[in-house]
Amino acid sequence: MPEPLWKISQIRQQIAIIDGKEAPNLVIKNARYLHGIYKQWIQGNIWINKDRIIYAGSKMPPNTATTEIVDAEGQTIVPGYIEPHVHPFQLYNPQSFADYAAQRGTTTFLSDNLMLFLAIKNKKAFTILDQLKQLPFSFYWWARFDSQTELENEHDLFTTKAINDWLERTDVMLGGELTGWPRLLAGDDQMLYWLKLAKSHGKKIEAHLPGASERTLARMKLFGADGDHESMTLEEVENRILHGYAVTLRHSSIRPDLPILLKDIVEEKLNIFDHLMMTTDGATPSFHRDGVMDKCIQVALDAGVAPIDAYQMASYNVARYYNMSNLHGLIATGRYATLNFLENEFNPVPVSVLSKGVWLKRDNKKEFTLPSIDWSAMGTLDLKFDLSEDDFQFSMPFGIQLVNDVITKPYSVSVHTNEGKLHTDHDECYLMLVDKNGKWRVNTLLKGFATHLQGFASSYSSTGDIILIGKNTKDMLIAFNEMKKMKGGIVIVENGRVLESLPLSIGGGLSAEPVEVLIEQELALKKTLQERGYHLGDAIYTLLFLQSTHLPYIRITQRGIFDVMKKTVLFPSVMR
């Protein structure tokens, strides 16, 4: 549960406003607003003092001597939108993403902690969380129980103390997402203890169960799972509802499932909207060109979902599920003054956005830019090693083939790999994962990524280690050196010349640029990749998931080439 946010003196002042002894600083009069409990549009007035709704109902305050009064006649007001499942490290950073999302009404986020957990110690991570808490929007967090890859030192990172430090925080609302759930089924009592620990702190457990059978859903429910966001068919939605899961429907750059799922739910007349939420699930920057949760609401409206249900899925349903409706998702007395002003309920893009009593947008103009925070705790990527020709040795009997953006399988290598160049008449590239500290490397081939890509380097990966891809080892080395000089980023090189670069100055994994700028950089990068044969949906996700052992079938990890199904290292990493 969130901690008490108002001091005794503040509460006394709020009571004095009700009694007419003091004036609120803002009143929204003639408001047509959504009441989440009644599930109706209410006509009334909303009194606000600083960051809190003091009263919402039919009356006007008895004292308005110092009050700004805004007439909302002709507008529709809904609660600020909540993103219940965000990975705020997809090139953008939490502050830049929030600043961008707020202009379209998304002002509350339940966020993945994995990148922070892997990159820095808890004490440093918490300095970042505490800075974010001071800004006029709301960030809440997950506590991860597994790395979703094979780390050299996972047991040193994921300890009961480290996890409990997160769970003790009042801004951590859930445990998960639980990508390592097969360990539970295999008898891992350590992970089960962490689930029980999360429950003892009053946290929800978010599972990650793509394609799960009813048997698996039932077993995971007994382990303590509360919700899941992996439904890809109507049957999967129904099975999760049957077993009492909260269901979050996804609309992301690699899984845009929401339109079809909602259309099927409407056609089947399933009366389950009070138990549904929506998410963009950490989509990459360019997917958000036309919005965040407002985009999901528009998809719901277009699918025939009743407007109130559409808005509830992005506000009150989330707040109620996470036991935050005392602060979020409801326009009523005592809640945060976080409101979206719409032309009407059929257009979810707000003309004005109020977040914790601060106008972030007013009359279609950006009113306030969220202050930057200090990212120095993340450090800078300062690589202390060089690569040499000896590092570019490729003699693997098999490589990794991309089935789609994120699913891989092994394949037998039939091309000559020892000349430092690969032909462009096939889609095989050299692939290297290099330790960010320079201690080890893993070399193989990657099929299905590109046909004409000569040199590519990225410090953006799920572990912060360095990914190199290309047809030409000399261009791969130049790309690495350019990325090293940038202190982190993504670089494409051809014939010794840098074609595209995307700097990631925060810890080597995050951009410091506004999302609007980052979108253009990402689009330019993806266009260059597409021109060189990348034909899948989202190359950024491909980079992120090359190491991810929660997906089949074969991965490149810190320990080496890893068989996900057999849980074995096929070829170990090579010490440098």
Side-chain angles (χ1 to χ4, degrees):
M1 285 291 293
E3 61 196 3
L5 297 170
W6 294 280
K7 298 177 182 177
I8 289 176
S9 60
Q10 293 173 312
I11 294 172
R12 289 297 181 192
Q13 182 187 30
Q14 293 160 4
I15 298 298
I17 291 170
I18 295 289
D19 294 339
K21 297 174 182 178
E22 294 196 32
N25 63 277
L26 177 64
V27 168
I28 313 298
K29 72 173 186 178
N30 298 320
R32 177 181 183 257
Y33 64 92
L34 175 60
H35 195 287
I37 298 174
Y38 278 117
K39 294 187 70 174
Q40 292 178 1
W41 301 105
I42 302 291
Q43 195 74 32
N45 307 299
I46 304 168
W47 313 357
I48 294 167
N49 200 63
K50 297 179 181 177
D51 61 350
R52 197 177 196 188
I53 297 174
I54 304 303
Y55 168 90
S58 61
K59 299 182 182 299
M60 284 290 285
N63 183 345
T64 59
T66 58
T67 303
E68 177 190 3
I69 298 178
V70 173
D71 191 342
E73 182 74 38
Q75 293 184 328
T76 294
I77 303 175
V78 295
Y81 307 144
I82 305 173
E83 220 309 358
H85 188 91
V86 63
H87 302 265
F89 305 106
Q90 306 295 55
L91 302 180
Y92 42 71
N93 65 71
Q95 183 274 340
S96 65
F97 184 64
D99 190 55
Y100 178 81
Q103 294 302 302
R104 298 182 71 105
T106 304
T107 47
T108 300
F109 309 85
L110 281 86
S111 310
D112 188 1
N113 77 324
L114 184 60
M115 180 171 282
L116 290 175
F117 191 86
L118 295 182
I120 54 179
K121 299 293 186 181
N122 283 353
K123 187 175 180 179
K124 287 186 175 182
F126 295 160
T127 65
I128 293 172
L129 270 60
D130 290 340
Q131 289 182 71
L132 290 167
K133 286 174 67 174
Q134 302 306 310
L135 302 184
F137 62 90
S138 300
F139 255 104
Y140 299 99
W141 297 89
W142 321 344
R144 286 271 194 164
F145 303 143
D146 65 282
S147 67
Q148 70 183 39
T149 186
E150 289 294 308
L151 298 177
E152 292 181 296
N153 61 337
E154 176 141 351
H155 293 298
D156 296 329
L157 288 172
F158 287 86
T159 66
T160 296
K161 183 183 184 308
I163 291 170
N164 192 58
D165 285 347
W166 280 85
L167 292 173
E168 285 182 337
R169 288 186 63 96
T170 56
D171 54 354
V172 171
M173 308 306 292
L174 66 150
E177 69 183 274
L178 197 60
T179 55
W181 59 267
R183 287 165 48 184
L184 288 173
L185 302 185
D188 187 335
D189 282 344
Q190 176 68 82
M191 181 171 281
L192 181 54
Y193 175 78
W194 291 337
L195 265 66
K196 290 170 64 64
L197 186 63
K199 292 288 189 178
S200 73
H201 285 289
K203 316 298 184 181
K204 301 287 188 181
I205 300 295
E206 178 70 8
H208 175 98
L209 304 170
S213 66
E214 266 204 271
R215 182 167 178 256
T216 295
L217 290 172
R219 288 191 290 177
M220 288 304 298
K221 194 67 180 163
L222 295 174
F223 280 126
D226 296 295
D228 178 76
H229 57 284
E230 292 291 332
S231 297
M232 291 175 276
T233 66
L234 179 62
E235 181 183 8
E236 290 180 342
V237 172
E238 291 178 306
N239 281 339
R240 283 157 175 76
I241 292 291
L242 178 68
H243 291 283
Y245 284 80
V247 175
T248 304
L249 305 178
R250 178 172 46 195
H251 192 54
S252 76
S253 46
I254 57 170
R255 290 296 328 176
D257 299 314
L258 186 63
I260 295 173
L261 291 177
L262 287 175
K263 182 174 178 292
D264 290 345
I265 291 168
V266 170
E267 287 181 353
E268 292 296 318
K269 298 180 180 179
L270 298 179
N271 187 23
I272 60 173
F273 286 105
D274 286 350
H275 306 282
L276 299 178
M277 296 172 278
M278 300 183 287
T279 181
T280 57
D281 196 10
T284 47
S286 58
F287 183 80
H288 292 296
R289 281 176 294 177
D290 53 352
V292 186
M293 294 311 296
D294 60 303
K295 180 174 185 170
C296 291
I297 295 167
Q298 189 62 62
V299 168
L301 295 171
D302 293 343
V305 177
I308 288 177
D309 285 329
Y311 287 99
Q312 299 273 84
M313 284 192 288
S315 57
Y316 182 63
N317 289 5
V318 184
R320 183 185 59 197
Y321 172 65
Y322 283 107
N323 300 317
M324 300 190 300
S325 61
N326 62 316
L327 295 177
H328 298 284
L330 187 66
I331 301 176
T333 300
R335 276 69 181 180
Y336 274 134
T338 300
L339 310 173
N340 290 337
F341 295 71
L342 313 178
E343 292 177 347
N344 56 64
E345 62 265 40
F346 301 103
N347 182 1
V349 180
V351 297
S352 300
V353 176
L354 191 71
S355 181
K356 291 185 175 178
V358 176
W359 292 104
L360 303 184
K361 179 181 182 182
R362 200 161 185 182
D363 298 328
N364 285 315
K365 293 182 180 178
K366 189 171 186 176
E367 189 79 7
F368 183 87
T369 297
L370 295 174
S372 298
I373 68 168
D374 180 7
W375 286 104
S376 61
M378 290 288 289
T380 57
L381 184 68
D382 189 12
L383 300 178
K384 303 293 188 182
F385 64 95
D386 295 314
L387 294 180
S388 67
E389 288 186 8
D390 291 340
D391 290 306
F392 292 86
Q393 303 296 319
F394 298 86
S395 58
M396 299 285 289
F398 70 88
I400 299 173
Q401 180 176 354
L402 289 169
V403 177
N404 58 31
D405 302 63
V406 298
I407 303 300
T408 61
K409 67 179 183 180
Y411 82 100
S412 297
V413 173
S414 59
V415 298
H416 294 292
T417 61
N418 57 1
E419 298 174 353
K421 292 182 180 180
L422 295 174
H423 291 291
T424 58
D425 58 358
H426 58 75
D427 62 354
E428 293 171 65
C429 293
Y430 298 119
L431 169 64
M432 294 175 62
L433 182 69
V434 182
D435 174 31
K436 57 181 173 288
N437 297 310
K439 296 179 180 179
W440 51 260
R441 59 176 169 81
V442 184
N443 294 30
T444 186
L445 262 66
L446 179 64
K447 180 176 175 59
F449 188 81
T451 54
H452 290 69
L453 181 66
Q454 299 303 306
F456 179 95
S458 173
S459 59
Y460 177 80
S461 68
S462 63
T463 59
D465 297 310
I466 309 304
I467 296 172
L468 303 179
I469 304 172
K471 296 275 188 176
N472 186 310
T473 58
K474 291 183 178 180
D475 279 340
M476 291 167 68
L477 179 57
I478 293 170
F480 170 81
N481 288 331
E482 181 68 20
M483 182 271 298
K484 177 181 175 180
K485 184 169 66 175
M486 289 166 53
K487 295 188 180 300
I490 304 174
V491 179
I492 299 175
V493 169
E494 187 169 284
N495 298 325
R497 184 170 65 90
V498 175
L499 298 183
E500 288 292 342
S501 62
L502 194 160
L504 298 173
S505 60
I506 301 173
L510 304 176
S511 172
E513 296 289 347
V515 171
E516 294 88 344
V517 173
L518 182 59
I519 286 172
E520 297 307 314
Q521 293 175 332
E522 182 207 4
L523 289 173
L525 184 81
K526 287 181 173 178
K527 181 175 183 291
T528 301
L529 283 175
Q530 288 166 356
E531 290 170 350
R532 279 145 190 83
Y534 182 86
H535 66 282
L536 301 172
D538 197 325
I540 303 303
Y541 257 106
T542 300
L543 294 176
L544 184 66
F545 283 156
L546 279 174
Q547 298 167 269
S548 296
T549 54
H550 68 295
L551 296 168
Y553 289 93
I554 184 172
R555 300 287 154 177
I556 187 168
T557 75
Q558 291 184 353
R559 294 177 57 201
I561 305 298
F562 188 79
D563 187 316
V564 174
M565 306 309 287
K566 295 181 180 178
K567 296 179 172 51
T568 57
V569 176
L570 301 176
F571 290 92
S573 54
V574 175
M575 300 305 292
R576 300 181 67 247

